[in-house]
């Protein structure tokens, strides 16, 4: 399928649903700028996402900075695998997170997670490979698809913000279940990422009747 612009995808989403059209008009255009990173850049982003899990921003940033200081230059799988685990723990990483980052490094190195040609893989294939890594769940994989790879048809139905935004935008009495939200999102294929972005914006945007 040919790659379309974000502007064209927004117009398509708005044209399929009056509620989404009103939200698009109220919020304005959202951006999803394409960024092509190196294999090492993708690896560092995924490792950082593991380090940040379940921690407040400042605490996670401090731990990540100490961990990064252990490696000179680019953070590569080979550099991580060469680090002794006690050194990783000394930076503030828990044993579980140190093991997860090492598992990511091993799976990138052996090709289980092929970051060098990841753009060739489908969304589902990328998710399947990433969730094979210890400490990476479906939500983390979906955020990687949206905010790093800029894929246009990702629908993170387990994300609270998306569920809450849908509830606000559509005036529902309760949050939709992930299964319900999956069905609701079908109307926006293959641009469900755009709908998700507007759901996130709906949470912090004043909407009529709210």
């Amino acid at each position: 399928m040919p790659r379309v612009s974000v502007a064209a995808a927004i117009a398509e989403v708005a044209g399929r649903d009056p509620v989404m059209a009103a939200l698009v008009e109220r919020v304005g255009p959202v951006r999803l700028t394409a960024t092509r990173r190196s294999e090492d850049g993708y690896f560092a982003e995924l490792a950082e996402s593991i380090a940040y899990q379940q921690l407040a921003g400042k605490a996670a940033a401090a731990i990540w900075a100490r961990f990064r200081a252990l490696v000179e230059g680019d953070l590569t799988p080979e550099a991580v695998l060469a680090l002794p685990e006690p050194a990783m723990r000394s930076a503030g990483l828990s044993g579980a997170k140190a093991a997860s980052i090492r598992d990511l490094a091993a799976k990138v190195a052996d090709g289980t997670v092929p970051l060098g040609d990841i753009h060739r893989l489908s969304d589902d294939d990328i998710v399947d490979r990433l969730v094979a890594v210890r400490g990476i769940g479906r939500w983390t994989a979906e955020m990687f698809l949206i905010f790093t790879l800029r894929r246009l048809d990702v629908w993170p139905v387990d994300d609270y913000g998306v569920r809450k935004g849908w509830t606000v935008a559509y005036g529902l009495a309760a949050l939709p279940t992930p299964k319900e939200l999956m069905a609701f999102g079908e109307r926006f294929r293959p641009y469900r990422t755009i709908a998700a972005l507007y759901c996130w914006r709906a949470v912090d945007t004043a909407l009529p009747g709210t």
Side-chain angles (χ1 to χ4, degrees):
M1 179 177 179
R3 181 77 176 182
V4 304
S5 69
V6 172
I10 291 172
E12 185 70 24
V13 165
R16 295 182 185 183
D17 184 276
V19 172
M20 195 61 67
L23 183 56
V24 168
E25 182 175 358
R26 196 165 190 85
V27 170
V30 294
R31 294 185 178 183
L32 198 66
T33 306
T35 302
R36 192 174 186 87
R37 289 175 173 79
S38 66
E39 179 176 354
D40 292 344
Y42 290 140
F43 172 73
E45 284 198 22
L46 288 166
E48 186 174 4
S49 72
I50 291 171
Y52 269 68
Q53 287 173 359
Q54 300 176 325
L55 287 175
K58 288 184 178 180
I63 291 170
W64 179 251
R66 290 195 296 269
F67 171 68
R68 264 312 267 117
L70 297 174
V71 176
E72 293 185 8
D74 292 338
L75 187 71
T76 65
E78 294 74 20
V80 167
L81 292 172
L83 287 174
E85 187 169 337
M88 297 175 71
R89 296 289 302 275
S90 71
L93 290 171
S94 67
K97 288 184 179 180
S100 293
I101 292 174
R102 289 180 65 85
D103 189 48
L104 171 65
K107 284 185 167 62
V108 172
D110 70 14
T112 301
V113 179
L115 295 181
D117 60 353
I118 199 165
H119 283 277
R120 298 175 182 271
L121 301 181
S122 69
D123 295 348
D124 289 341
D125 202 5
I126 291 170
V127 170
D128 288 344
R129 288 169 184 260
L130 287 178
V131 299
V133 176
R134 173 175 177 168
I136 293 183
R138 184 174 185 87
W139 182 87
T140 298
E142 288 171 338
M143 295 306 104
F144 181 75
L145 285 172
I146 293 174
F147 296 109
T148 299
L149 299 183
R150 274 58 179 180
R151 295 293 178 94
L152 286 176
D153 194 33
V154 184
W155 190 229
V157 296
D158 294 310
D159 184 271
Y160 176 81
V162 173
R163 294 170 66 201
K164 178 66 174 177
W166 187 279
T167 302
V168 170
Y170 289 82
L172 303 182
L175 293 177
T177 65
K179 183 177 181 180
E180 289 170 338
L181 192 58
M182 181 64 74
F184 292 154
E186 286 298 312
R187 73 193 73 171
F188 301 118
R189 282 183 183 270
Y191 308 116
R192 291 177 296 172
T193 294
I194 301 301
L197 292 172
Y198 279 100
C199 284
W200 278 315
R201 291 297 305 274
V203 177
D204 56 18
T205 300
L207 299 173
T210 63

